[in-house]
Amino acid sequence: MVDFLASYGLFLAKALTVVGAIILVIVAVAAVSSRNKKDSKEGYLSIHSMNETLEDMEHALKEVVLDREVYKQQLKAEEKQEKEEAKARKKALKKGKAQPESEPERKRVFVLDFDGDIKASELEPLREEITAVLTMATENDEVVIRLESPGGMVHSYGLASSQLERIKRHGVPLTVCVDKVAASGGYMMACLADKIVAAPFSILGSIGVVAQLPNFHRLLKKHDIDYEVLTAGEYKRTLTVMGENTEKGRQKFIEELEDTHNLFKEFVGEFRPQVDLDKVATGEVWFGRRALDVNLIDEISTSDEYLTQACEDADVYTVRYEYKKTLQDRISDLSIKTTDTLFTKWAGRILNSHLLAK
């Protein structure tokens, strides 16, 4: 036990020293960078071809696995084919055509990511990405959203859902892929899709509304501390954290929750009429395989499999709206990563030493 406490004390001292040094660096950099700080909302589009990425991976593997001469022959054959295709396209352009008649127009798939927290913080880059994609996407293309979210604030996820509805209004097919979780507000977004694809053990549903808050009124009363809530309007404040809550206010709050739940159910019913709302709108969650049985999703598959198959017949592009990071942001990210690594490393050492001591 003494060895454990000594190890823990040493770990704590080192951790505090490192964290303190990092904080001092961040403060110093913040003071310098604030003088010439640019707009934090300034960003840019980052677009990558998933087809090219897969081809690069395939070539890297073949170069090692295949016989050297065999690989060279395959490489030459591919280069010859690419030259012929480029020549045909050039010839078609001279004739005023976008592409050769023998080459059908390829579908384009635009892949966006949404990793949601309680405030739907990824909403800002998502709306920029959708705006960019809709400048050229047509009904012959497809937008795929890789969605991960346990839900959060109603108004935030309502706006995020409205962004996906823009894609629908433009007549562009929309697919949502869920690998881990799309619950509550996350499912509110997912249900807009023409097709929902989910991994076998992903979590979906939670079509419900929850609100919780502590109340310290009795604690304040015990210590003779008064807390007044002044409002204009009978239901301006139904429940409070510090004041005394009334049964009338509590009932009004429950009515508001029920109304929000009904709006949620109506929203899901509008975009997924095949769902039995009486069965699924209970706040429960379903794993992917079970979600398919109750029509919460349309297909069992991971996003990797879905997009890899799409690359066979379409040009697939990942689209990201990335914000330019200042020096302060980069150092802050580095400090968080370093601190996390330090704590994980030393916590593991302490745990192992404690277990070995037994």
Side-chain angles (χ1 to χ4, degrees):
M1 184 65 181
V2 175
D3 291 339
F4 173 75
L5 291 175
S7 298
Y8 181 76
L10 179 62
F11 155 70
L12 189 60
K14 289 184 177 181
L16 290 175
T17 301
V18 172
V19 171
I22 290 171
I23 291 173
L24 287 175
V25 172
I26 293 173
V27 170
V29 172
V32 174
S33 63
S34 62
R35 299 173 189 172
N36 301 310
K37 188 175 181 181
K38 295 182 179 181
D39 184 6
S40 61
K41 293 296 182 181
E42 185 180 357
Y44 60 95
L45 274 179
S46 175
I47 304 169
H48 298 283
S49 169
M50 188 171 287
N51 303 72
E52 291 181 2
T53 301
L54 288 175
E55 287 176 8
D56 291 341
M57 293 170 66
E58 182 183 2
H59 280 297
L61 190 60
K62 283 182 176 180
E63 189 175 5
V64 175
V65 174
L66 295 180
D67 177 79
R68 189 173 180 179
E69 292 302 319
V70 173
Y71 175 67
K72 282 184 177 180
Q73 289 177 5
Q74 288 189 5
L75 203 58
K76 286 181 180 180
E78 289 179 9
E79 289 175 352
K80 183 180 179 181
Q81 183 179 352
E82 288 175 1
K83 287 180 180 179
E84 291 176 352
E85 290 175 353
K87 188 177 180 180
R89 284 193 292 270
K90 188 176 181 181
K91 189 176 180 181
L93 286 171
K94 286 182 178 180
K95 294 181 179 180
K97 298 179 181 179
Q99 58 191 23
E101 295 179 358
S102 59
E103 186 178 321
E105 184 178 355
R106 281 174 68 85
K107 172 184 175 181
R108 292 168 300 191
V109 177
F110 301 97
V111 184
L112 316 180
D113 285 296
F114 183 87
D115 189 359
D117 55 17
I118 193 169
K119 297 186 294 182
S121 303
E122 289 291 307
L123 172 59
E124 288 305 316
L126 178 68
R127 67 201 307 178
E128 299 288 353
E129 291 160 5
I130 291 174
T131 298
V133 167
L134 292 182
T135 60
M136 67 178 303
T138 70
E139 60 184 14
N140 297 319
D141 300 320
E142 180 183 5
V143 174
V144 175
I145 309 290
R146 290 188 289 201
L147 173 66
E148 301 296 339
S149 175
M153 297 179 178
V154 175
H155 59 282
S156 297
Y157 277 90
L159 181 56
S161 300
S162 297
Q163 295 301 317
L164 299 193
E165 197 170 1
R166 291 171 58 198
I167 301 172
K168 301 268 291 183
R169 284 198 295 268
H170 274 74
V172 182
L174 173 64
T175 300
V176 166
C177 291
V178 181
D179 287 328
K180 295 179 182 177
V181 57
S184 193
Y187 190 77
M188 181 189 291
M189 293 177 66
C191 74
L192 279 150
D194 299 296
K195 180 168 58 178
I196 303 177
V197 179
F201 288 93
S202 58
I203 296 174
L204 302 108
S206 188
I207 303 173
V209 183
V210 63
Q212 53 189 357
L213 71 162
N215 183 265
F216 298 97
H217 174 69
R218 284 185 292 179
L219 179 64
L220 296 177
K221 188 176 180 180
K222 180 180 178 180
H223 294 280
D224 297 323
I225 300 173
D226 292 328
Y227 182 85
E228 296 184 358
V229 180
L230 306 177
T231 63
E234 184 178 3
Y235 295 116
K236 178 61 179 176
R237 184 70 70 239
T238 52
L239 294 182
T240 72
V241 175
M242 298 294 184
E244 182 178 8
N245 291 322
T246 64
E247 186 60 32
K248 187 175 182 180
R250 190 173 290 107
Q251 288 300 318
K252 179 60 178 177
F253 193 82
I254 292 173
E255 287 178 17
E256 292 171 349
L257 285 182
E258 289 290 347
D259 184 50
T260 305
H261 187 208
N262 287 331
L263 285 171
F264 192 175
K265 290 192 291 184
E266 291 170 10
F267 190 81
V268 175
E270 178 182 353
F271 293 101
R272 288 194 71 82
Q274 66 270 44
V275 170
D276 182 353
L277 289 173
D278 291 334
K279 184 175 182 179
V280 303
T282 58
E284 297 173 77
V285 295
W286 282 263
F287 287 112
R289 292 185 184 277
R290 301 290 181 259
L292 183 63
D293 296 335
V294 293
N295 295 317
L296 286 173
I297 65 172
D298 303 294
E299 184 180 324
I300 294 291
S301 177
T302 63
S303 63
D304 309 279
E305 183 179 6
Y306 184 82
L307 292 173
T308 301
Q309 289 178 351
C311 285
E312 296 177 4
D313 305 307
D315 293 326
V316 183
Y317 302 97
T318 57
V319 180
R320 306 279 180 275
Y321 189 80
E322 300 179 0
Y323 293 105
K324 294 180 180 178
K325 290 188 177 181
T326 62
L327 180 60
Q328 177 186 352
D329 295 329
R330 290 195 291 270
I331 291 180
S332 178
D333 291 342
L334 179 62
S335 66
I336 293 171
K337 185 178 180 180
T338 303
T339 305
D340 182 64
T341 302
L342 179 69
F343 272 95
T344 303
K345 182 179 179 180
W346 278 94
R349 286 184 179 180
I350 292 173
L351 179 61
N352 288 337
S353 63
H354 183 56
L355 291 174
L356 290 172
K358 289 184 176 181

